[in-house]
Amino acid sequence: MSRLAIASITALLTVGHAYAAEPITLRDMGSFHVGGRLVEISGKPVKGVVFTPGGVPAKVDPNGTYQVEQMYVQYFLPANEKGAYPLLMWHGGGLTGVTYETTPDGREGWLNYFLRKGWAVYNSDAVERGRAGWAQYPDIFKSEPVFLTTANPFERFRIGEGLNSYDADPAKRKLLPGNQFPVEGYENFVKQNVPRWTTTDDAIVAAYIAEIDRVGPSVILFHSQAGSFGFKVAQARPDKVKALIAIEPAGIGDPAKADVLKNIPTLIIYGDYIERDSRWPKIRANGIAFADAIKAAGGSVDIVDLPQAGIKGNSHMVMMDKNNLQVAGLIQKWLETKGLTK
Amino acid sequence: MSRLAIASITALLTVGHAYAAEPITLRDMGSFHVGGRLVEISGKPVKGVVFTPGGVPAKVDPNGTYQVEQMYVQYFLPANEKGAYPLLMWHGGGLTGVTYETTPDGREGWLNYFLRKGWAVYNSDAVERGRAGWAQYPDIFKSEPVFLTTANPFERFRIGEGLNSYDADPAKRKLLPGNQFPVEGYENFVKQNVPRWTTTDDAIVAAYIAEIDRVGPSVILFHSQAGSFGFKVAQARPDKVKALIAIEPAGIGDPAKADVLKNIPTLIIYGDYIERDSRWPKIRANGIAFADAIKAAGGSVDIVDLPQAGIKGNSHMVMMDKNNLQVAGLIQKWLETKGLTK
């Protein structure tokens, strides 16, 4: 057995049993769904479905009204709240709120970190992901879902050295040198991936707007695919968004409305190896251009390229990397500097 | 606007902002995925996918290895642990771990209740549900998913008075008299429903076994569809299951192996209106027969029909009903009686 495989098994055995140094004291925790709409389906045949083997068949009429495009939000409210506003965490594509929970190798993630710092954290699953549920296609969602192979995120999230860097044998995987992704937990990370669609952006934005309308003025921390969601929701609700923290945004807001964001303190963070990747130089350039448009309108955008700040080796999954708490500390300090703690 | 609709909106506005009386102190919280297997897909064309509108197209080769049939577990470990073992919570069909979180009308659910009582709670999403993700069909899952209309659970979960009791207008819905389901939150409950398959039982059982192998000796509380999962996993791992709490089990274990359960204290709970339903008399009879088989082998099974215990009006979703904490109290007392607290 390879050394990596043994490390992976060791991590599996310890995850969930590591005792945190300090207790987390909550005044409350819970969850809710928000947003969505009702859709009518008609003209389909009635089915008899045995839901449990050996069970009693139930009649299921597929015609009728369906609830679709809602999203799921789980909240943790610290007893000693120190954030000036709730902190909303929005995950990237093909992922769920699990992104911010325990890292794939069993360390504390950003949810716990910011909760321990006194933030009321609202961690969510966007429309179509995880506990949000998903809708029939092509009747309601207009395309097929995308499934990722085990190799895909390794090669696309700047963990491995590009195409064909992944191998079924962990010992044969070609890592970007100095990479901070916890490769011994890569198999666990793949288990966090869920199917996604590419035609549901408007529904996702609508649900995120419903979330912020319900929670009230908030700070939004968002990752990757949620780049466009974070900026667009802020453009739709500029008075309710008190700060934006974009972690490697893969999309941007409406450039024609960049001025709407001028009063919202914004932090954009990029990891390492951007220039070695086939897609990320262009993605980052889009983000910088959008930031420039906000700044040209009088806004305040801080851009941190982690390697230039002396923090090296970060993959696209910054919140899971081995130095994830160092980057979280940088974000926390930025929030303090912006007067967003109390 | 109807009185019910106004009540529903009021509930929406207050959910997530109700302060719990006593803080919840955790020594740790986190999550993990467990179980599953790798599957090869071959012979499909490569696609170019634009994951974010305006983004840079990425090459997605659908051929390759897929991680499938894992499950998701979220854990909350109280600082002052009083349960003798961890408490695993397994949801029913078409649902996720959200079942045990905040009720659809914004009250505390069983997750918080048992956590406050000092249980280390492991709340999960079974294979194919929620944060567990789901696999391609018919390539991997062998059937189509089932989607439920907004009317279906109302008529099937003993909330309304059977078929055609649901109406889009809450004021026109025909409730079973005295029903404890929080009907003002029914629209929220529908948002908790997710697609399900009927051909994944073996994969679900395998993942649950992987969960208990990882967490170690545990008490399992399971609902509805998970009836068969709870009993079957206990039959596969009798030494690791310290008690079974079956909430309206829709399925049972292997009757030929009932004797394997003889050393596991078991509690089965049924709600109200069983005899008025078209399916539940038969479902309950199956459960009673299975309990009788365990008892005939020398086992201990306590069956509580809530109305006979003076607790009336419970739907199939006992953990969400208005008297949910009264039923939780009955379970807690049973666990104490069985010596499962410390």
mmCIF file of all heavy atoms in Angstrom, chain B residues 5-6 19 35 39 52 63 67 70 76 79 98 113 127 135 153 174-175 210 225 243 252 280 300 326:
data_model
loop_
_atom_site.group_PDB
_atom_site.id
_atom_site.type_symbol
_atom_site.label_atom_id
_atom_site.label_comp_id
_atom_site.label_asym_id
_atom_site.label_seq_id
_atom_site.Cartn_x
_atom_site.Cartn_y
_atom_site.Cartn_z
ATOM 1 N N ALA B 5 -52.644 31.581 5.406
ATOM 2 C CA ALA B 5 -51.562 32.195 4.627
ATOM 3 C C ALA B 5 -50.851 33.250 5.461
ATOM 4 O O ALA B 5 -49.622 33.354 5.436
ATOM 5 C CB ALA B 5 -52.120 32.805 3.348
ATOM 6 N N ILE B 6 -51.605 34.027 6.227
ATOM 7 C CA ILE B 6 -50.986 35.042 7.089
ATOM 8 C C ILE B 6 -50.123 34.366 8.148
ATOM 9 O O ILE B 6 -48.988 34.771 8.388
ATOM 10 C CB ILE B 6 -52.064 35.933 7.746
ATOM 11 C CG1 ILE B 6 -52.725 36.798 6.662
ATOM 12 C CG2 ILE B 6 -51.454 36.799 8.846
ATOM 13 C CD1 ILE B 6 -53.992 37.494 7.113
ATOM 14 N N TYR B 19 -34.724 33.056 19.605
ATOM 15 C CA TYR B 19 -33.602 32.738 20.464
ATOM 16 C C TYR B 19 -33.974 31.567 21.368
ATOM 17 O O TYR B 19 -35.020 31.556 21.992
ATOM 18 C CB TYR B 19 -33.227 33.939 21.324
ATOM 19 C CG TYR B 19 -32.545 35.025 20.544
ATOM 20 C CD1 TYR B 19 -32.729 35.153 19.176
ATOM 21 C CD2 TYR B 19 -31.697 35.922 21.167
ATOM 22 C CE1 TYR B 19 -32.109 36.145 18.453
ATOM 23 C CE2 TYR B 19 -31.061 36.918 20.456
ATOM 24 C CZ TYR B 19 -31.281 37.034 19.096
ATOM 25 O OH TYR B 19 -30.650 38.022 18.390
ATOM 26 N N GLY B 35 -18.487 5.709 2.816
ATOM 27 C CA GLY B 35 -19.036 4.659 1.960
ATOM 28 C C GLY B 35 -18.919 4.979 0.485
ATOM 29 O O GLY B 35 -18.185 5.875 0.074
ATOM 30 N N VAL B 39 -17.099 3.665 -10.057
ATOM 31 C CA VAL B 39 -17.737 3.045 -11.230
ATOM 32 C C VAL B 39 -17.105 3.635 -12.490
ATOM 33 O O VAL B 39 -16.860 4.831 -12.555
ATOM 34 C CB VAL B 39 -19.256 3.343 -11.246
ATOM 35 C CG1 VAL B 39 -19.908 2.738 -12.488
ATOM 36 C CG2 VAL B 39 -19.919 2.817 -9.997
ATOM 37 N N THR B 52 -19.909 28.814 -16.155
ATOM 38 C CA THR B 52 -20.438 30.098 -15.698
ATOM 39 C C THR B 52 -20.679 30.959 -16.930
ATOM 40 O O THR B 52 -19.779 31.087 -17.772
ATOM 41 C CB THR B 52 -19.413 30.785 -14.770
ATOM 42 O OG1 THR B 52 -19.082 29.887 -13.714
ATOM 43 C CG2 THR B 52 -19.966 32.069 -14.185
ATOM 44 N N ASN B 63 -16.313 10.220 -19.846
ATOM 45 C CA ASN B 63 -15.771 8.878 -19.646
ATOM 46 C C ASN B 63 -14.765 8.913 -18.506
ATOM 47 O O ASN B 63 -13.996 9.859 -18.382
ATOM 48 C CB ASN B 63 -15.083 8.401 -20.920
ATOM 49 C CG ASN B 63 -16.037 8.416 -22.088
ATOM 50 O OD1 ASN B 63 -17.038 7.697 -22.086
ATOM 51 N ND2 ASN B 63 -15.765 9.277 -23.061
ATOM 52 N N GLN B 67 -17.111 8.491 -8.502
ATOM 53 C CA GLN B 67 -17.400 8.139 -7.110
ATOM 54 C C GLN B 67 -18.913 8.199 -6.934
ATOM 55 O O GLN B 67 -19.520 9.234 -7.186
ATOM 56 C CB GLN B 67 -16.705 9.145 -6.183
ATOM 57 C CG GLN B 67 -17.100 9.035 -4.715
ATOM 58 C CD GLN B 67 -16.657 7.743 -4.083
ATOM 59 O OE1 GLN B 67 -15.532 7.304 -4.245
ATOM 60 N NE2 GLN B 67 -17.575 7.100 -3.356
ATOM 61 N N GLN B 70 -21.825 7.239 -1.955
ATOM 62 C CA GLN B 70 -21.401 7.648 -0.621
ATOM 63 C C GLN B 70 -22.575 8.314 0.102
ATOM 64 O O GLN B 70 -23.581 8.627 -0.527
ATOM 65 C CB GLN B 70 -20.220 8.624 -0.708
ATOM 66 C CG GLN B 70 -20.531 9.968 -1.358
ATOM 67 C CD GLN B 70 -20.579 9.933 -2.872
ATOM 68 O OE1 GLN B 70 -20.338 8.897 -3.480
ATOM 69 N NE2 GLN B 70 -20.908 11.059 -3.486
ATOM 70 N N PHE B 76 -22.685 16.715 15.729
ATOM 71 C CA PHE B 76 -22.654 17.743 16.766
ATOM 72 C C PHE B 76 -22.353 17.036 18.082
ATOM 73 O O PHE B 76 -23.132 16.176 18.509
ATOM 74 C CB PHE B 76 -24.004 18.466 16.840
ATOM 75 C CG PHE B 76 -24.378 19.144 15.552
ATOM 76 C CD1 PHE B 76 -25.171 18.494 14.615
ATOM 77 C CD2 PHE B 76 -23.916 20.414 15.256
ATOM 78 C CE1 PHE B 76 -25.504 19.104 13.413
ATOM 79 C CE2 PHE B 76 -24.235 21.036 14.057
ATOM 80 C CZ PHE B 76 -25.041 20.382 13.127
ATOM 81 N N ALA B 79 -20.597 19.414 24.701
ATOM 82 C CA ALA B 79 -19.494 19.510 25.667
ATOM 83 C C ALA B 79 -19.760 18.585 26.853
ATOM 84 O O ALA B 79 -18.850 17.941 27.362
ATOM 85 C CB ALA B 79 -19.335 20.962 26.129
ATOM 86 N N VAL B 98 -32.550 17.159 7.018
ATOM 87 C CA VAL B 98 -33.330 18.354 7.375
ATOM 88 C C VAL B 98 -34.566 17.961 8.189
ATOM 89 O O VAL B 98 -35.055 18.746 8.994
ATOM 90 C CB VAL B 98 -33.720 19.150 6.107
ATOM 91 C CG1 VAL B 98 -34.621 20.328 6.442
ATOM 92 C CG2 VAL B 98 -32.463 19.639 5.387
ATOM 93 N N TYR B 113 -33.160 18.951 20.162
ATOM 94 C CA TYR B 113 -33.669 18.374 21.414
ATOM 95 C C TYR B 113 -32.677 17.364 21.997
ATOM 96 O O TYR B 113 -32.295 17.453 23.164
ATOM 97 C CB TYR B 113 -35.031 17.695 21.188
ATOM 98 C CG TYR B 113 -35.529 16.991 22.444
ATOM 99 C CD1 TYR B 113 -36.302 17.666 23.389
ATOM 100 C CD2 TYR B 113 -35.199 15.650 22.698
ATOM 101 C CE1 TYR B 113 -36.725 17.039 24.551
ATOM 102 C CE2 TYR B 113 -35.624 15.012 23.849
ATOM 103 C CZ TYR B 113 -36.380 15.708 24.774
ATOM 104 O OH TYR B 113 -36.791 15.073 25.936
ATOM 105 N N VAL B 127 -27.555 7.843 0.891
ATOM 106 C CA VAL B 127 -27.161 7.746 -0.519
ATOM 107 C C VAL B 127 -28.261 8.319 -1.413
ATOM 108 O O VAL B 127 -29.438 8.017 -1.194
ATOM 109 C CB VAL B 127 -26.926 6.261 -0.905
ATOM 110 C CG1 VAL B 127 -26.736 6.101 -2.404
ATOM 111 C CG2 VAL B 127 -25.722 5.710 -0.150
ATOM 112 N N ALA B 135 -26.179 9.675 -8.499
ATOM 113 C CA ALA B 135 -25.403 9.170 -9.635
ATOM 114 C C ALA B 135 -26.237 9.141 -10.912
ATOM 115 O O ALA B 135 -27.470 9.147 -10.883
ATOM 116 C CB ALA B 135 -24.882 7.771 -9.323
ATOM 117 N N PRO B 153 -47.394 14.555 -0.289
ATOM 118 C CA PRO B 153 -47.148 14.258 1.130
ATOM 119 C C PRO B 153 -48.347 14.616 2.018
ATOM 120 O O PRO B 153 -48.598 13.942 3.024
ATOM 121 C CB PRO B 153 -45.938 15.134 1.490
ATOM 122 C CG PRO B 153 -45.310 15.489 0.180
ATOM 123 C CD PRO B 153 -46.439 15.542 -0.810
ATOM 124 N N LYS B 174 -58.427 19.779 3.542
ATOM 125 C CA LYS B 174 -59.192 18.974 4.509
ATOM 126 C C LYS B 174 -58.237 18.225 5.423
ATOM 127 O O LYS B 174 -57.719 17.165 5.076
ATOM 128 C CB LYS B 174 -60.092 17.992 3.766
ATOM 129 C CG LYS B 174 -61.238 18.669 3.023
ATOM 130 C CD LYS B 174 -62.107 17.623 2.307
ATOM 131 C CE LYS B 174 -62.656 18.164 0.994
ATOM 132 N NZ LYS B 174 -62.162 17.439 -0.198
ATOM 133 N N LEU B 175 -58.029 18.762 6.604
ATOM 134 C CA LEU B 175 -57.128 18.141 7.574
ATOM 135 C C LEU B 175 -57.794 17.001 8.305
ATOM 136 O O LEU B 175 -58.997 17.042 8.574
ATOM 137 C CB LEU B 175 -56.720 19.169 8.631
ATOM 138 C CG LEU B 175 -55.644 20.175 8.258
ATOM 139 C CD1 LEU B 175 -55.555 21.215 9.357
ATOM 140 C CD2 LEU B 175 -54.321 19.450 8.093
ATOM 141 N N ALA B 210 -21.289 1.402 6.586
ATOM 142 C CA ALA B 210 -20.002 2.116 6.627
ATOM 143 C C ALA B 210 -20.030 3.222 7.683
ATOM 144 O O ALA B 210 -19.035 3.468 8.372
ATOM 145 C CB ALA B 210 -19.674 2.698 5.253
ATOM 146 N N GLN B 225 -39.093 5.195 5.472
ATOM 147 C CA GLN B 225 -38.325 4.350 4.559
ATOM 148 C C GLN B 225 -37.130 3.710 5.249
ATOM 149 O O GLN B 225 -36.731 2.588 4.909
ATOM 150 C CB GLN B 225 -37.821 5.174 3.364
ATOM 151 C CG GLN B 225 -37.008 4.354 2.360
ATOM 152 C CD GLN B 225 -36.105 5.197 1.467
ATOM 153 O OE1 GLN B 225 -35.745 6.302 1.813
ATOM 154 N NE2 GLN B 225 -35.768 4.662 0.313
ATOM 155 N N ALA B 243 -29.233 0.333 20.521
ATOM 156 C CA ALA B 243 -30.686 0.459 20.626
ATOM 157 C C ALA B 243 -31.226 0.903 19.277
ATOM 158 O O ALA B 243 -30.524 1.555 18.493
ATOM 159 C CB ALA B 243 -31.078 1.464 21.703
ATOM 160 N N ILE B 252 -39.190 -3.247 7.105
ATOM 161 C CA ILE B 252 -38.676 -4.032 8.218
ATOM 162 C C ILE B 252 -37.351 -4.696 7.822
ATOM 163 O O ILE B 252 -36.891 -4.548 6.693
ATOM 164 C CB ILE B 252 -39.700 -5.112 8.663
ATOM 165 C CG1 ILE B 252 -40.041 -6.003 7.464
ATOM 166 C CG2 ILE B 252 -40.936 -4.455 9.259
ATOM 167 C CD1 ILE B 252 -40.927 -7.188 7.804
ATOM 168 N N TRP B 280 -51.553 2.508 5.815
ATOM 169 C CA TRP B 280 -50.866 2.354 7.096
ATOM 170 C C TRP B 280 -51.312 1.176 7.956
ATOM 171 O O TRP B 280 -50.474 0.626 8.712
ATOM 172 C CB TRP B 280 -50.860 3.680 7.873
ATOM 173 C CG TRP B 280 -49.667 4.473 7.416
ATOM 174 C CD1 TRP B 280 -49.636 5.450 6.475
ATOM 175 C CD2 TRP B 280 -48.318 4.251 7.822
ATOM 176 N NE1 TRP B 280 -48.338 5.865 6.268
ATOM 177 C CE2 TRP B 280 -47.509 5.150 7.085
ATOM 178 C CE3 TRP B 280 -47.700 3.386 8.723
ATOM 179 C CZ2 TRP B 280 -46.125 5.196 7.235
ATOM 180 C CZ3 TRP B 280 -46.319 3.444 8.875
ATOM 181 C CH2 TRP B 280 -45.552 4.341 8.136
ATOM 182 N N SER B 300 -36.420 -7.802 23.030
ATOM 183 C CA SER B 300 -37.245 -6.822 23.745
ATOM 184 C C SER B 300 -37.658 -5.700 22.797
ATOM 185 O O SER B 300 -36.809 -4.934 22.330
ATOM 186 C CB SER B 300 -36.426 -6.256 24.912
ATOM 187 O OG SER B 300 -36.942 -5.010 25.307
ATOM 188 N N GLN B 326 -42.888 16.548 22.929
ATOM 189 C CA GLN B 326 -43.527 15.600 23.853
ATOM 190 C C GLN B 326 -43.150 14.174 23.462
ATOM 191 O O GLN B 326 -42.799 13.352 24.317
ATOM 192 C CB GLN B 326 -45.055 15.789 23.793
ATOM 193 C CG GLN B 326 -45.805 14.996 24.850
ATOM 194 C CD GLN B 326 -47.313 15.154 24.746
ATOM 195 O OE1 GLN B 326 -47.829 15.771 23.804
ATOM 196 N NE2 GLN B 326 -48.028 14.593 25.718
#
